[in-house]
C-alpha cells in the first residue's frame, strides 16, 4: 500500500508508457542494426521483447486500476452533492430557528415589561376612599387651594409660616426666647390687621394624635458618611437647625 | 437602639421639618447659613424622601414640601437658594399657583352648576304640555 501512496496512477501510467516507448525504440534500432551487420548480442532481442511484454502487462493492470478509480471518483462526487444539499437544509433550518428565537425573545421581553408595569400599578394602588379623605384634608385647611377671600396682606400661606414653625415640636426644642405672648409675633400677624384664626400652639400639620402608631423608617446610618455606617443616629443636624435663635422673617407681604 | 418613644418623637420632628421645607423663606435661611452645602445635611435630605411613600405622605398637610424636597436633591437648586430673589420668586409662584387652584375650582363648580340647571328646564314644559 505504501507504493500506491507515493506515486499516483497517472504518474505510473506515464512512466510505463515511457518505458514502452524506450523499449520499442531500442527494438527497432536493433532490428535496423541487424540489417546492416550481424547481431552484436544474441540474447538482447529476447530480453527486450520480454521487457516489452512485461511492461505491456503492467500497462493493462494500471488501466484497470484507473478505471476503478474513476468509478470511485464518480461515487465521491455524487456523495459530495448529497452533502451539499444536506448542508443547505441545515443552514435553512438554522436561519428559521434564529428568527424564531428573535421573535420569542421580543415577546418575552415585552411580557416582562408588562408584568413590571402591572406590579408597579398594583404596588401603588390606594383605596379611592383614602385619596378622597386626604384630598378633603388638604383642601379644607387651604394648604393647596387659596381661601376664597384671600387678598395680599393675608398672612395665610401654602406652607407653614414662621409662627406655625415656632409653635411646633422643633420650635419648642430650640427653646426660643419668646418674641411675644404665647407665640404671637407682633410683626407679621398683627401688621395684617387680623390675627390668624388658629392661635393654639398645636397645629394640625403636626398631627401627633393622628400618627400615634406611625414610626419613621429606621436609619442606622450616620448622615456624615456616604456608604451606610454603623448604627448611630445623627441627631446633630436636627438640633443644629432648631438652636438657631431667629429665622429670617423676610415676609412676602 | 432607640425606644418607641424616641422613634415617635423623631417621626413628629421629621414630619414638621419636612413640611417646613415648603417655606421658601426658610429654605433661603438654610442656604444662607450654609446648611445646604454640608454633606450630612444633603444625605439627610435624601433620607427624607421616604415621605413620598403613600403610607407616610398621608400625614402631610402641606404637599408643596414634597416638590421642594425633590428639587433640593439637585445641587444647582441648593446653590441658587442663597439668593433672596430666588426665594422671593419661588414664593410668588407658589402663591400664584395656590390662588390659581382656587380659581380653577370655582370655575369647575360654576360649570357644574350650569350643567345641572340646563336639564332641569325641559321637564316643567313637558308637564305643562301634558295638561
Amino acid at each position: 500500500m505504501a507504493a500506491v501512496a507515493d506515486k499516483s496512477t497517472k504518474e505510473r501510467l506515464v512512466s510505463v508508457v515511457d518505458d514502452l516507448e524506450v523499449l520499442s525504440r531500442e527494438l527497432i534500432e536493433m532490428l535496423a542494426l541487424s540489417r546492416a551487420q550481424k547481431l552484436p548480442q544474441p540474447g538482447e532481442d529476447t530480453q527486450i521483447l520480454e521487457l516489452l511484454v512485461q511492461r505491456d502487462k503492467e500497462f493493462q493492470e494500471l488501466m484497470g486500476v484507473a478505471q476503478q478509480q474513476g468509478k470511485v471518483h464518480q461515487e465521491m462526487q455524487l456523495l459530495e452533492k448529497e452533502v451539499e444539499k444536506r448542508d443547505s437544509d441545515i443552514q435553512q433550518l438554522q436561519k428559521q430557528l434564529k428568527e424564531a428565537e428573535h421573535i420569542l425573545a421580543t415577546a418575552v421581553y415585552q411580557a416582562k415589561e408588562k408584568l413590571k408595569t402591572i406590579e408597579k400599578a398594583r404596588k401603588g394602588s390606594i383605596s379611592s376612599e383614602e385619596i378622597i379623605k386626604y384630598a378633603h384634608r388638604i383642601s379644607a385647611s387651604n394648604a393647596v387651594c387659596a381661601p376664597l377671600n384671600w387678598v395680599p396682606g393675608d398672612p395665610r400661606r401654602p406652607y407653614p409660616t414662621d409662627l406655625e414653625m415656632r409653635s411646633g415640636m422643633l420650635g419648642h426644642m430650640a427653646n426660643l426666647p419668646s418674641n411675644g405672648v404665647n407665640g404671637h409675633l407682633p410683626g407679621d400677624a398683627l401688621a395684617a390687621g387680623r390675627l390668624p384664626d388658629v392661635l393654639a400652639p398645636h397645629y394640625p400639620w403636626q398631627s401627633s394624635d393622628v400618627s400615634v402608631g406611625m414610626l419613621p423608617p429606621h436609619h442606622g446610618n450616620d448622615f456624615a458618611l456616604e456608604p451606610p455606617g454603623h448604627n448611630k443616629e445623627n441627631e446633630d443636624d436636627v438640633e443644629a437647625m432648631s438652636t438657631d435663635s431667629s429665622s429670617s422673617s423676610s415676609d412676602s407681604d | 437602639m432607640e425606644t418607641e418613644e424616641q422613634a415617635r418623637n423623631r417621626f413628629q420632628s421629621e414630619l414638621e421639618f419636612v413640611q417646613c421645607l415648603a417655606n421658601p423663606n426658610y429654605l433661603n435661611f438654610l442656604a444662607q447659613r450654609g446648611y445646604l452645602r454640608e454633606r450630612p445635611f444633603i444625605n439627610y435630605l435624601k433620607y427624607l424622601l421616604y415621605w413620598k411613600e403613600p403610607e407616610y405622605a398621608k400625614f402631610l398637610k402641606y404637599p408643596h414640601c414634597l416638590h421642594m424636597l425633590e428639587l433640593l436633591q439637585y445641587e444647582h437648586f441648593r446653590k441658587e437658594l442663597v439668593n433672596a430673589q430666588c426665594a422671593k420668586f419661588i414664593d410668588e409662584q407658589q402663591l400664584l399657583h395656590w390662588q390659581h387652584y382656587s380659581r380653577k375650582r370655582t370655575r369647575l363648580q360654576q360649570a357644574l352648576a350650569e350643567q345641572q340647571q340646563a336639564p332641569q328646564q325641559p321637564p316643567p314644559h313637558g308637564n305643562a304640555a301634558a295638561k
Side-chain angles (χ1 to χ4, degrees):
Chain A
M1 282 294 141
V4 180
D6 46 21
K7 267 202 184 164
S8 70
T9 313
K10 180 170 150 187
E11 275 170 21
R12 282 164 69 202
L13 272 174
V14 166
S15 80
V16 167
V17 167
D18 280 341
D19 283 342
L20 280 174
E21 189 187 3
V22 164
L23 283 170
S24 45
R25 195 179 286 165
E26 266 197 33
L27 190 63
I28 292 173
E29 269 181 29
M30 263 184 62
L31 283 173
L33 234 62
S34 67
R35 265 232 201 143
Q37 24 170 281
K38 292 284 191 250
L39 285 168
Q41 277 127 348
E44 219 172 284
D45 50 351
T46 39
Q47 237 184 4
I48 291 182
L49 276 173
E50 272 173 19
L51 279 174
L52 208 58
V53 170
Q54 207 188 18
R55 287 287 178 268
D56 188 52
K57 241 195 247 169
E58 268 184 41
F59 184 71
Q60 298 297 333
E61 275 175 21
L62 283 173
M63 282 305 285
V65 167
Q67 258 189 340
Q68 277 181 353
Q69 283 183 341
K71 278 195 204 135
V72 169
H73 185 70
Q74 263 188 342
E75 270 185 40
M76 270 172 56
Q77 277 186 333
L78 277 175
L79 285 172
E80 257 180 34
K81 273 207 199 105
E82 277 286 318
V83 165
E84 256 180 49
K85 206 170 85 144
R86 296 277 182 262
D87 233 358
S88 72
D89 280 346
I90 291 177
Q91 270 186 356
Q92 182 78 333
L93 206 63
Q94 194 185 25
K95 261 191 226 149
Q96 286 178 339
L97 275 174
K98 189 120 182 105
E99 233 182 87
E101 189 219 344
H102 181 72
I103 293 174
L104 280 174
T106 326
V108 163
Y109 173 73
Q110 284 179 350
K112 278 207 186 120
E113 292 293 305
K114 203 157 217 167
L115 280 174
K116 260 192 248 174
T117 48
I118 290 177
E119 183 61 37
K120 201 165 147 190
R122 200 187 54 81
K123 227 175 42 170
S125 67
I126 306 175
S127 77
S128 52
E129 201 185 301
E130 258 201 64
I131 296 185
I132 294 176
K133 262 196 249 170
Y134 184 66
H136 269 285
R137 267 187 47 213
I138 55 179
S139 306
S141 55
N142 292 319
V144 285
C145 183
L148 296 167
N149 50 1
W150 197 86
V151 287
D154 190 323
R156 290 178 286 182
R157 290 286 181 274
Y159 45 76
T161 53
D162 279 357
L163 182 60
E164 292 177 34
M165 291 202 295
R166 269 176 248 242
S167 328
M169 194 171 121
L170 289 178
H172 285 310
M173 278 197 324
N175 291 327
L176 301 167
S178 55
N179 287 336
V181 183
N182 261 351
H184 300 345
L185 290 172
D188 49 0
L190 298 178
R194 40 186 286 177
L195 295 174
D197 293 349
V198 188
L199 297 183
H202 184 86
Y203 292 90
W205 67 294
Q206 289 134 5
S207 68
S208 64
D209 43 341
V210 182
S211 59
V212 168
M214 204 64 200
L215 296 177
H218 177 65
H219 64 94
N221 318 343
D222 183 352
F223 286 110
L225 304 174
E226 277 290 358
H230 39 276
N231 278 344
K232 182 184 140 207
E233 222 179 58
N234 192 350
E235 294 277 34
D236 295 350
D237 40 356
V238 173
E239 286 171 20
M241 290 176 282
S242 331
T243 48
D244 278 312
S245 51
S246 63
S247 55
S248 71
S249 42
S250 57
D251 283 328
S252 46
D253 282 347
Chain B
M1 290 304 297
E2 59 178 6
T3 65
E4 203 174 300
E5 174 76 25
Q6 285 174 327
R8 268 201 294 263
N9 285 340
R10 182 159 71 87
F11 177 80
Q12 181 85 342
S13 50
E14 284 180 6
L15 173 64
E16 285 182 21
F17 180 69
V18 79
Q19 289 185 102
C20 289
L21 296 179
N23 187 335
N25 303 314
Y26 183 58
L27 292 179
N28 181 235
F29 163 78
L30 289 176
Q32 286 182 341
R33 276 157 187 71
Y35 288 107
L36 301 188
R37 284 195 298 268
E38 287 173 17
R39 191 39 40 186
F41 192 85
I42 297 171
N43 293 345
Y44 185 65
L45 286 176
K46 190 164 166 195
Y47 156 76
L48 282 179
L49 284 170
Y50 75 85
W51 284 102
K52 284 170 72 175
E53 304 290 316
E55 57 266 18
Y56 286 106
K58 65 184 179 195
F59 296 110
L60 295 175
K61 187 180 157 210
Y62 296 105
H64 285 194
C65 68
L66 285 181
H67 184 63
M68 293 299 181
L69 184 63
E70 276 173 25
L71 287 176
L72 278 168
Q73 304 300 319
Y74 296 101
E75 188 176 340
H76 189 76
F77 183 69
R78 292 196 298 265
K79 282 208 174 103
E80 279 299 308
L81 275 174
V82 179
N83 303 331
Q85 299 146 321
C86 173
K88 193 168 162 59
F89 175 72
I90 295 176
D91 193 27
E92 280 169 13
Q93 293 297 310
Q94 254 183 307
L95 285 173
L96 287 172
H97 176 81
W98 194 43
Q99 292 169 315
H100 168 75
Y101 222 63
S102 47
R103 274 200 292 272
K104 202 163 92 160
R105 264 197 211 167
T106 44
R107 257 185 278 147
L108 270 175
Q109 281 172 345
Q110 276 173 359
L112 198 64
E114 277 165 30
Q115 257 187 3
Q116 281 174 347
Q117 273 176 13
Q120 275 170 13
Q121 301 208 340
H125 292 292
N127 287 342
K131 283 188 181 164

